[in-house]
Amino acid sequence: MSRAGAPIATLRSLATVRERCRNVTAFVASGRSAHLQLDRSRLDDAAQRTAAITRERYPDLRVPYHSRWRHFEAGGIDRKAALDRALADVDVHERARAHFDLTVISVLLDAGAGSRWRYVEPASGATFARSEGLGVASLAAFMSGAFSAHPGVPCRVDAQALLALDASRLARIFQVGPGNPLVGLDGRLALLRRLGRTLADPTRPGAAARPGALYDALTAHGTRRTVSAEAVVAGLLAQLRDIWLTPSAHDGLPLGDAWRHPAAGGEGRSAGWVPFHKLTQWLSYSVFEPLEWSGVQVVGTEAMTGLPEYRNGGLMLDTGVLALRDPADAQPAWPVGSALIVEWRAATVTLLDELAPRVRALLGAPALPLACILEGGTWAAGRALAAERRGGLPPLTLDSDGTVF
């Protein structure tokens, strides 16, 4: 491995995500943070709320993964059935490639919509907001061929089509207008254009001009029937390494969702960084199902971490597990790399690990994976508390380009 490659590999490791988040959480717990206080006695309340909403949403405790595919079910509509019909004439492997294409493009188009944006689904007439609206809109665009460069084969994503995408086309996809603004539209477009350039680069090892090629890389063209969660994350981090808009870089190589903090710890040239890779991890959770639908078993899912975003982090703040030292800090828009936001996100990762066994005990479900606790779960409880207290707004505001959260 190259001299530059060693710290990069360390910062892409899920073990490093957990280690550095624990270091920052210990910093907060010790009282050294200028921004946050930690009260672990409040974890029981957070666990009670999470268990209660999980039982309400999934009474049989058959909880699916926290995945982009849940948003495709918004309003109780089985949109996957329509997608299955559109893919009825292709084999299981091409279907999986299409599922990967859709999942990657839809997750990259997510990351926070803002409180004013709405999407009216033409097929149903229903109105959706936030992640559900973004999911439904991106699925409709995918099925219409908005991201395909192959006439007559709409359900795919190609580098050529992404490179041809412009702001007006993306605005139409999301029904954006003066009265319906979408946070970070330009950032999303830039991310997709970068993805197109990356996929089209013939010099990259294993390069292929669609995201679905990762299915072939992970499964050896459909012959490998078991894949580890860490391999999925590593594959996505490698595939997407050049697309991130964040300024975080090491020796000129982009790090994506990784940020500096004095309490991060670590050794050598990777010290001082806290990696999260939130969007990549959520994308990984979201491709587990397409892998399983194609007959591939995903193992080692507990290596994944909880997702440090508005809802899970909001649960920790709204239940008092975390508290702002200065309530006025809730008002300004904070940069994603600021100490407050890094500490909030790092503590969220660590505290989700501590919350999970409490939730399992309350539900009597000792084997419930973290991915299902998030879905059941912490994300839903965080959203419910935000709706009760602030009309759905998160407890902290971020100055975000729409590509991290």
Side-chain angles (χ1 to χ4, degrees):
M1 184 176 291
S2 71
R3 185 167 172 269
I8 294 294
T10 298
L11 294 173
R12 288 178 178 166
S13 161
L14 292 174
T16 302
V17 175
R18 272 201 167 85
E19 173 199 342
R20 303 291 171 88
C21 286
R22 286 171 179 161
N23 291 344
V24 174
T25 304
F27 172 83
V28 174
S30 72
R32 289 178 288 165
S33 169
H35 301 285
L36 291 173
Q37 295 174 302
L38 173 58
D39 181 358
R40 282 187 164 94
S41 71
R42 302 296 300 167
L43 276 169
D44 287 335
D45 178 47
Q48 292 280 357
R49 288 178 179 272
T50 301
I53 203 165
T54 300
R55 284 199 178 278
E56 177 186 326
R57 299 179 71 226
Y58 300 101
D60 58 3
L61 296 185
R62 296 178 62 183
V63 187
Y65 294 132
H66 184 58
S67 160
R68 187 56 159 166
W69 292 85
R70 304 289 76 75
H71 297 141
F72 298 150
E73 302 163 355
I77 299 171
D78 183 6
R79 296 177 184 86
K80 183 177 178 293
L83 179 61
D84 288 343
R85 289 191 294 272
L87 297 170
D89 294 334
V90 303
D91 66 24
V92 64
H93 305 302
E94 179 57 27
R95 188 176 303 118
R97 293 181 198 106
H99 288 160
F100 266 63
D101 281 349
L102 168 61
T103 306
V104 169
I105 202 75
S106 186
V107 167
L108 293 181
L109 284 167
D110 195 54
S115 61
R116 295 176 58 195
W117 178 79
R118 298 291 185 271
Y119 176 76
V120 180
E121 184 179 26
S124 68
T127 299
F128 301 100
R130 300 189 181 274
S131 287
E132 286 84 354
L134 293 166
V136 171
S138 59
L139 174 59
F142 174 80
M143 293 185 65
S144 74
F147 311 115
S148 173
H150 291 70
V153 187
C155 294
R156 58 179 286 147
V157 175
D158 298 295
Q160 181 182 347
L162 295 180
L163 290 170
L165 197 63
D166 60 25
S168 62
R169 179 74 181 277
L170 195 61
R172 288 196 298 274
I173 286 171
F174 288 114
Q175 301 174 354
V176 173
N180 194 36
L182 177 65
V183 170
L185 183 69
D186 290 341
R188 290 167 220 263
L189 176 62
L191 200 64
L192 296 191
R193 298 293 296 274
R194 286 191 181 203
L195 176 62
R197 287 195 294 273
T198 296
L199 294 173
D201 182 358
T203 66
R204 295 191 56 179
R210 63 184 293 196
L214 183 58
Y215 167 79
D216 292 296
L218 290 170
T219 67
H221 300 279
T223 62
R224 185 180 298 132
R225 310 318 292 162
T226 301
V227 174
S228 73
E230 288 188 277
V232 175
V233 175
L236 285 165
L237 284 171
Q239 185 184 65
L240 304 176
R241 69 189 181 200
D242 297 325
I243 76 170
W244 305 113
L245 306 176
T246 70
S248 300
H250 196 294
D251 287 338
L253 299 175
L255 295 178
D257 189 11
W259 310 90
R260 289 227 177 244
H261 192 279
E267 298 179 353
R269 295 169 63 246
S270 72
W273 288 96
V274 185
F276 296 109
H277 305 307
K278 177 261 171 179
L279 210 58
T280 304
Q281 288 207 70
W282 188 46
L283 181 48
S284 300
Y285 281 129
S286 298
V287 298
F288 288 170
E289 285 171 295
L291 283 166
E292 292 175 352
W293 294 331
S294 70
V296 177
Q297 181 184 12
V298 181
V299 298
T301 60
E302 289 307 300
M304 307 276 290
T305 77
L307 303 180
E309 42 73 54
Y310 292 122
R311 300 314 184 189
N312 292 323
L315 174 66
M316 300 305 169
L317 281 169
D318 283 337
T319 55
V321 181
L322 295 172
L324 294 171
R325 288 189 178 276
D326 182 355
D329 280 349
Q331 299 306 315
W334 292 89
V336 179
S338 63
L340 169 58
I341 300 305
V342 173
E343 290 168 10
W344 176 43
R345 298 182 75 200
T348 295
V349 169
T350 302
L351 294 168
L352 286 168
D353 278 344
E354 297 177 16
L355 187 72
R358 289 172 164 85
V359 174
R360 292 183 185 112
L362 289 168
L363 294 174
L368 194 65
L370 179 60
C372 301
I373 290 173
L374 298 177
E375 171 60 25
T378 56
W379 191 88
R383 171 180 268 193
L385 281 167
E388 291 171 14
R389 300 186 179 196
R390 294 173 300 276
L393 295 175
L396 293 176
T397 302
L398 276 80
D399 181 9
S400 173
D401 63 9
T403 65
V404 173
F405 276 57

